[in-house]
């Protein structure tokens, strides 16, 4: 039950984040490192991926693939988080930008536990 609840929270989190990428892409342009090509295209692609993978964690047949996809996505967006920490982002205090870097590991662990981790106890979903 606990894992299922956290899985729903995760799905909502990633779907909302993905929708925000699609609805407000200009917000994310400043986060993009200059060396990455197709900034707006990558923002839209990551948004669609977050929505698709967020929904897929709720589907038992797709959960494992969704888990690996979300982990890959979290690793892929890490350079943008580093870029924001190094160069600042709007009026966000620098310490928050630096503190969110290790938070990426927390998100990866959350995805792993909810989608890929061994089943603990009687819960099988």
């Amino acid at each position: 039950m606990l894992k299922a609840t956290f899985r729903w929270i995760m799905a909502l989190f990633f779907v909302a984040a993905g929708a925000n990428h699609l609805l407000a892409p200009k917000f994310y342009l400043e986060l993009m490192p200059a060396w990455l090509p197709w900034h707006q295209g990558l923002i839209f692609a990551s948004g669609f991926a977050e929505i698709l993978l967020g929904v897929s964690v709720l589907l038992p047949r797709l959960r494992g693939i969704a888990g690996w996809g979300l982990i890959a996505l979290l690793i892929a967006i890490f350079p943008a988080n580093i870029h924001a920490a190094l160069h600042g982002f709007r009026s966000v205090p620098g310490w928050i930008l630096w503190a969110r870097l290790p938070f990426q590991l927390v998100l990866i662990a959350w995805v792993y536990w909810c989608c890929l981790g061994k089943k603990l106890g009687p819960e099988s979903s």
Side-chain angles (χ1 to χ4, degrees):
M1 181 71 171
L2 180 65
K3 192 178 275 193
T5 300
F6 275 97
R7 202 176 290 127
W8 273 95
I9 294 167
M10 177 190 306
L12 292 172
F13 173 82
F14 280 105
V15 169
N20 198 49
H21 280 74
L22 302 179
L23 296 172
K26 290 183 181 180
F27 176 82
Y28 298 94
L29 284 174
E30 193 178 329
L31 290 170
M32 299 294 285
W35 55 267
L36 282 173
W38 313 300
H39 290 172
Q40 191 150 358
L42 289 173
I43 291 167
F44 283 126
S46 65
F48 281 118
E50 284 176 316
I51 292 169
L52 178 67
L53 295 168
V55 170
S56 295
V57 303
L58 300 175
L59 306 172
R61 293 181 68 202
L62 299 176
R63 188 169 298 138
I65 293 169
W68 286 119
L70 285 170
I71 289 170
L73 181 65
L74 289 166
I75 292 168
I77 64 170
F78 195 67
N81 293 344
I82 292 172
H83 178 77
L86 290 172
H87 302 287
F89 180 67
R90 301 187 182 235
S91 61
V92 178
W95 71 267
I96 291 176
L97 297 171
W98 285 101
R100 78 182 212 165
L101 295 178
F103 185 68
Q104 206 81 0
L105 293 173
V106 173
L107 291 175
I108 289 170
W110 183 27
V111 170
Y112 186 86
W113 179 70
C114 284
C115 300
L116 304 164
K118 289 187 176 186
K119 314 270 187 288
L120 300 175
E123 182 182 357
S124 62
S125 60

